Structure formats: C-alpha cells, structure tokens
Amino acid sequence: MHSSNSLNWLSRVPKSVGDINSPAWNADSIYCTGTVKEVVEAYSSQYKKDMENFLNARALELVGGGLLVLVLGGVPNSVTSSQTAIGKDYEILGSCLVDMANKGLISKEKVESFNLPIYYASPNEIEKLIQDNGCFSIVRMETFPGNRKHIYNSQMWTLIVRAGFEAIISNNFGSEMVEELFELYTKKHMDNVSIFSRDDVISLLHLNIVLKRKI
C-alpha cells in the first residue's frame, strides 16, 4: 500500500486556532509557524488524531506482514515551520490576504480566522506516532532535504500554490477575489524570491517511510 504527499493535509483546521476567545487563536498567521505553543499544540493534536485514524484504517486493510509506504513532507527535528522555505512562502501568501483586507476587498476578521489545514511534523514526532499506534513496525525511515529550485520561478510556483489552495481560499473569501489575490501573490513572490536562497532558510524534508503490518 502506498500514500504519497497526502498526509500533511489535516482532516480539518483545529477549531481553537480560528477562535478569537481561544489562547490558540492564530490571528497573525495562516499556518502553524511552530513558534506559538498553543497553536502548535492545537495543530499537533489534530495531526495525531488524523494519523491515528489513518494508520488504524490501513491496518484493517493490510494482512500481517503487508507493507505500507509513506511519502510526506516534514520539518527537521528542532526546527519550526517558520524557518523553512515553505513557511516563508505561506507568510507571503498570508501577507497578500492582509493587503487585500487593508484595501477593503475582503474581511479583516476572516483573514485573522483563516488557517491552512496543513501540518509538517518532525521525524521524531512521526516515529513516536507510529510507535504509539502499535499496528505497524518501522522497516525504514529515510529523510532528505527537498529541492527548492522550482520555487524560484514565481509564475510556475504560483500555479502550484493556486492548485493546492484555490478551493480553500474561495470557500473562505469567495471566488471573486481569487484572480487578484494570485496576481498580487506572483508579484510579491518575485519581489521576495531572494528569501529562499538565504542560508538561514531551511529546506523542508522529504520523508520516505516503510511500515510493516504487525502480525
């Protein structure tokens, strides 16, 4: 069995990060930066539930000794998402939403409550989740840094980001703002593309994991 590049998506955005009355309210960002304890706890808790459900479902489908191959993104151990290239990119996208809100094109309150249902766990975190689940043994876990060359082409990268997030953004803000948003995003990405080549900006990890269904 094989799952490729799907396990970073959460089944839902944690309710608390969009709740103004919650200590996990994530008004200053559209993703889990890894820098605010309460936000991290909300996202990691949802990720744990989703991974538990995923592993339990796959365990029902696999015979003992069957293999499950996972390909997903992650952050290096002891690194926050805000330190990664993809984190910097989400910050650019978020700043575009703020710009549109400041122009009165979309609701500021909606921007402050908007969060992406994406979470990047560390190898240590993923390993513990698998071990705690107990249905699988880890045969192999390989990590290697991602190649961010494609992110330097702003127009091509906009198409990738739009393919991933257009539906989510439209559902939250309406489809009429999408064209202007991604035009603004392309320009701002081009203006800030040098960020991605800085030494202090870390590549997201690619994780290749082989699991065996316990008998």
Side-chain angles (χ1 to χ4, degrees):
M1 191 172 291
H2 177 224
S3 173
S4 179
N5 295 300
S6 62
L7 292 179
N8 296 115
W9 289 93
L10 300 178
S11 62
R12 55 175 294 167
V13 174
K15 284 186 178 180
S16 58
V17 301
D19 181 359
I20 192 172
N21 297 312
S22 168
W25 189 43
N26 197 31
D28 296 329
S29 183
I30 65 169
Y31 76 110
C32 180
T33 63
T35 58
V36 180
K37 178 184 175 183
E38 292 81 3
V39 175
V40 173
E41 290 175 347
Y43 267 92
S44 62
S45 177
Q46 185 63 51
Y47 184 75
K48 181 178 180 179
K49 292 176 184 176
D50 290 345
M51 281 293 289
E52 182 77 7
N53 289 336
F54 174 84
L55 293 173
N56 287 341
R58 302 294 79 77
L60 292 174
E61 297 167 338
L62 277 172
V63 298
L67 298 180
L68 173 59
V69 179
L70 308 179
V71 178
L72 67 157
V75 293
N77 294 321
S78 302
V79 168
T80 66
S81 291
S82 64
Q83 296 172 279
T84 66
I86 198 68
K88 301 301 181 187
D89 183 67
Y90 292 159
E91 289 168 12
I92 292 173
L93 181 60
S95 72
C96 292
L97 291 171
V98 171
D99 289 348
M100 294 188 72
N102 289 337
K103 294 178 182 178
L105 300 174
I106 56 177
S107 164
K108 180 181 178 182
E109 290 74 18
K110 283 188 176 182
V111 173
E112 290 178 340
S113 63
F114 176 70
N115 292 274
L116 295 173
I118 296 284
Y119 182 73
Y120 298 103
S122 68
N124 286 348
E125 186 176 1
I126 293 171
E127 183 176 0
K128 186 177 188 306
L129 288 174
I130 294 168
Q131 292 173 344
D132 288 348
N133 172 262
C135 294
F136 296 88
S137 58
I138 300 174
V139 177
R140 179 177 299 177
M141 179 182 288
E142 298 178 335
T143 64
F144 54 95
N147 184 347
R148 40 175 136 143
K149 287 183 179 178
H150 55 287
I151 210 170
Y152 298 133
N153 185 327
S154 297
Q155 291 182 328
M156 184 187 75
W157 184 247
T158 296
L159 295 177
I160 295 172
V161 173
R162 184 167 182 170
F165 298 131
E166 180 173 359
I168 296 171
I169 291 170
S170 295
N171 287 339
N172 280 271
F173 301 101
S175 58
E176 63 279 357
M177 53 78 72
V178 169
E179 288 297 332
E180 184 167 349
L181 171 65
F182 284 106
E183 287 177 5
L184 177 60
Y185 171 79
T186 302
K187 182 180 185 305
K188 186 167 282 196
H189 190 281
M190 292 177 67
D191 291 342
N192 293 276
V193 73
S194 61
I195 291 174
F196 304 105
S197 60
R198 285 182 358 205
D199 292 339
D200 62 333
V201 175
I202 300 166
S203 293
L204 203 66
L205 290 178
H206 287 304
L207 289 89
N208 293 342
I209 306 171
V210 181
L211 304 179
K212 180 183 286 188
R213 177 69 167 96
K214 291 182 179 179
I215 298 174

